[in-house]
Amino acid sequence: MTTRARGAAAMALAAALACNQGLEPALAPTSCPHGFVGVCGTVSFVGQVPESTAKVFVVAFDTFPRSQNDLFKFKPQLDPTILPLGGPPFFYTLQLPPGHYEWVLAVWQKQGPTLNATNADTLLRETGFYRDRGDTTRHGSGIVIVNAGTSTDSIDFVVDFTNMHRVCDYFRPCP
């Protein structure tokens, strides 16, 4: 083999090794990133997204809300995780401080006026939540623990646009 041919072969080998699977699609994450504090999981979608959708987001509650006013005690307050509007399963991350969370859920918000306690039943719907599969209670026991400096994986659930629940479904009576 000539010096020129050896050089070309070496360049081709180096180029092939440098690609390091660069042209292959990146794999979707399946667990929380290293050093992340919060919860992570996969959300699957069922049904057609309503045309009046403003957004769908994931939040967590320290304790299950007992009144409509408690609906505004979710975490994180400033930056909930916004989900795509339907499509294939989506891996999400929700940054949360260490703690005990009784309800991790997806919330659908209708387009409209600024959200407040008096119009929450008009603008919000629960579209899916994490539940312990062994619990058969109405809102399930979806207790999630986030320890200091760690994350909690596999907080998976389904967003079902065909089975959304009004706020008053949890705080009777419904008008």
Side-chain angles (χ1 to χ4, degrees), residues 59-73:
V59 294
F61 288 88
D62 296 325
T63 59
F64 190 82
R66 294 182 187 7
S67 71
Q68 277 191 241
N69 289 334
D70 289 348
L71 291 175
F72 295 92
K73 296 178 181 176

Side-chain angles (χ1 to χ4, degrees), residues 58-62 73-77 80 94-97 101:
V58 178
V59 294
F61 288 88
D62 296 325
K73 296 178 181 176
F74 61 86
K75 291 182 181 170
Q77 278 286 309
L94 181 64
Q95 191 169 1
L96 293 169
Y101 298 94

Side-chain angles (χ1 to χ4, degrees), residues 99-168:
H100 171 104
Y101 298 94
E102 289 186 5
W103 207 27
V104 177
L105 73 150
V107 178
W108 174 87
Q109 184 174 340
K110 182 178 183 176
Q111 297 170 350
T114 302
L115 179 64
N116 60 51
T118 58
N119 67 12
D121 192 55
T122 304
L123 297 179
L124 299 178
R125 299 287 185 267
E126 171 266 304
T127 60
F129 54 90
Y130 171 73
R131 81 172 346 137
D132 178 341
R133 292 185 182 162
D135 187 338
T136 59
T137 60
R138 184 160 178 227
H139 66 272
S141 170
I143 294 175
V144 176
I145 306 292
V146 176
N147 293 311
T150 64
S151 56
T152 304
D153 268 324
S154 301
I155 306 304
D156 304 329
F157 55 93
V158 175
V159 168
D160 187 350
F161 294 112
T162 64
N163 189 24
M164 300 193 300
H165 300 100
R166 294 174 57 188
V167 170
C168 70

